[in-house]
Amino acid sequence: MELAKVEPIRLPAGRRVLVISDIHGNLAFFEALLRQVGFCADDILILLGDVLEKGVDSLATLRYVMALRERCEIHMLCGNCDNLTFHFVDQTPDIPPEFYDSYVFGWGEKCVLTQMAREAGVPLESPADFPRLRAVIRERFAPELAFLRALPTILLSERFLFVHGGVYREDRLEELSAWRCMKNDNFLGLGLSFHRWVVVGHWPVTLYDPSIPSAAPIILPERHIISIDGGCQLKWDGQLNALILPDGASEDFSWQSYDGLPTAVALDRQDASTDSINIRWHENPVEVLERGEEFSRCRHLASGRVLDILTEYLYEKGGVTRCEDSTDYRLPVEPGDALSIVRATSRGYLAKKAGVTGWYTGRLHS
């Protein structure tokens, strides 16, 4: 079992700290968010992991981070997607060999191993090509491999503990399983509290609310936990969040996000709905009652709730009809509110306000 690598980090007064997690190879969002927050060489940038995988620019994003670190103070943690490359090369028992059979060919161009193979001109048609790819990665991608191998699991300052997935305690951190620190699903649901602020990504925050889909960071002062994964690259309405600390001694947290969506200004007021559902990926099977061209009447199997879902959000997997994350929540909107537009439909707009996704049926000024 690989143990957690813990590195101390100094966060001095007077230097702004930016924390970003789960970029997943979306270089365009990453660059746009850095521009939006005005990132500069005076800042400290902490990346909580999962910079790679599930995005077509994973290799380019890794190289961008490596180059940026040459002139800026950047600390990157290892996420459960960032260790896949060197575990593949090393053939370590931590990840079963058959995992790569499904992962590489399932994700295709969104897998960094596929991107390396393409750049190196290595055919990748079946697992029989893996031995050659391993040799090529050792030879052609030695700097990237060394960078990934050196990533710590935990960054520890006087007041903060940064980790990709989560921890179960604050002492004897070096004895923790690295994998369980990286892949710690439903961390907030464990009911833990800490003395330091524990800042995590990994689990998209929208998964925590069964009623209202919100990608905004969750800040829990009474438990000293902050969770910031906005579902970038994984959800059509996902966003990349940046947690902003004025300096390492401050708890005056703020955040900004980037979602790449077109924006418009609301002209009409709308009250929030009081009874809504947030259908999330881990419970997304539905029964289609009436299929339409734009909307389909569906029954959500886990809850029994009947609602209209965008037909383009429906798909088949394993012989089961499922849906992308869907909701019937109506956003609370005031005239002048800025909205990100996820979808424009004949019934109104699927929109986002301050990271929260819902429906708006009023008028817009673009």
Side-chain angles (χ1 to χ4, degrees):
M1 178 183 69
E2 182 181 359
L3 298 179
K5 291 189 288 186
V6 183
E7 285 190 4
I9 182 173
R10 183 172 174 269
L11 302 178
R15 292 188 67 185
R16 188 174 66 153
V17 181
L18 305 174
V19 189
I20 299 174
S21 189
D22 295 87
I23 300 167
H24 283 301
N26 194 326
L27 182 56
F29 274 36
F30 185 37
E31 291 181 303
L33 182 58
L34 291 181
R35 288 193 299 269
Q36 181 177 306
V37 300
F39 173 68
C40 67
D42 293 333
D43 296 325
I44 298 172
L45 176 60
I46 297 174
L47 303 177
L48 292 185
D50 278 8
V51 165
L52 303 181
E53 305 297 351
K54 304 177 182 178
V56 295
D57 289 324
S58 290
L59 182 56
T61 305
L62 173 60
R63 288 171 171 163
Y64 180 83
V65 171
M66 292 170 65
L68 201 60
R69 203 171 71 158
E70 295 297 316
R71 60 182 188 275
C72 301
E73 184 174 352
I74 297 178
H75 303 268
M76 177 176 160
L77 291 170
C78 191
N80 60 293
C81 288
D82 303 310
N83 66 347
L84 297 179
T85 301
F86 63 84
H87 279 304
F88 171 79
V89 170
D90 298 341
Q91 295 180 271
T92 59
D94 291 36
I95 301 178
E98 57 269 19
F99 165 82
Y100 290 101
D101 299 356
S102 59
Y103 189 78
V104 171
F105 299 105
W107 283 95
E109 289 299 319
K110 294 183 177 181
C111 174
V112 72
L113 294 173
T114 306
Q115 294 166 32
M116 289 176 168
R118 184 182 65 246
E119 182 175 305
V122 176
L124 197 54
E125 299 175 353
S126 77
D129 299 314
F130 286 172
R132 184 183 175 196
L133 180 58
R134 289 188 180 95
V136 168
I137 291 175
R138 291 190 191 98
E139 179 184 352
R140 292 276 301 267
F141 300 93
E144 292 87 351
L145 205 56
F147 180 87
L148 292 172
R149 289 189 198 278
L151 294 176
T153 316
I154 295 170
L155 293 173
L156 195 64
S157 76
E158 182 179 352
R159 304 182 69 171
F160 293 90
L161 187 158
F162 302 97
V163 63
H164 179 66
V167 292
Y168 297 92
R169 60 175 186 255
E170 288 181 77
D171 63 333
R172 308 189 322 278
L173 295 171
E174 295 84 355
E175 299 175 14
L176 294 175
S177 160
W179 179 251
R180 295 195 70 190
C181 292
M182 292 185 286
K183 187 169 173 54
N184 194 322
D185 296 350
N186 193 23
F187 179 58
L188 271 59
L190 299 177
L192 300 171
S193 297
F194 300 92
H195 297 291
R196 287 182 175 89
W197 281 95
V198 176
V199 186
V200 302
H202 177 62
W203 193 246
V205 293
T206 188
L207 296 178
Y208 286 112
D209 193 329
S211 301
I212 299 173
S214 173
I218 297 174
I219 300 175
L220 304 176
E222 69 282 1
R223 296 170 59 187
H224 274 193
I225 296 176
I226 304 176
S227 185
I228 69 170
D229 180 1
C232 172
Q233 194 63 36
L234 304 181
K235 304 173 183 296
W236 284 344
D237 57 346
Q239 63 191 42
L240 190 61
N241 292 323
L243 178 71
I244 303 172
L245 287 59
D247 59 44
S250 174
E251 296 183 6
D252 185 19
F253 307 121
S254 62
W255 62 275
Q256 293 189 36
S257 67
Y258 181 83
D259 59 20
L261 294 168
T263 59
V265 176
L267 297 177
D268 301 307
R269 185 177 185 277
Q270 175 177 281
D271 291 328
S273 55
T274 56
D275 178 27
S276 59
I277 188 170
N278 175 24
I279 301 178
R280 298 151 293 167
W281 67 266
H282 61 291
E283 51 175 33
N284 64 2
V286 296
E287 176 190 2
V288 178
L289 304 177
E290 183 179 350
R291 185 177 291 269
E293 182 176 344
E294 187 178 24
F295 289 90
S296 292
R297 195 71 170 168
C298 299
R299 177 181 290 109
H300 179 229
L301 298 185
S303 67
R305 190 182 186 103
V306 175
L307 70 159
D308 289 338
I309 293 175
L310 285 164
T311 300
E312 66 172 317
Y313 276 33
L314 299 175
Y315 65 97
E316 300 288 327
K317 183 177 180 181
V320 176
T321 302
R322 302 172 184 271
C323 67
E324 302 289 346
D325 288 14
S326 299
T327 188
D328 55 3
Y329 178 62
R330 286 170 55 91
L331 284 172
V333 177
E334 296 292 338
D337 283 348
L339 303 179
S340 294
I341 308 305
V342 183
R343 292 289 188 276
T345 78
S346 62
R347 302 183 186 179
Y349 303 92
L350 184 61
K352 289 174 64 185
K353 174 184 172 183
V356 178
T357 297
W359 291 93
Y360 173 66
T361 58
R363 297 169 300 156
L364 290 176
H365 176 71
S366 57

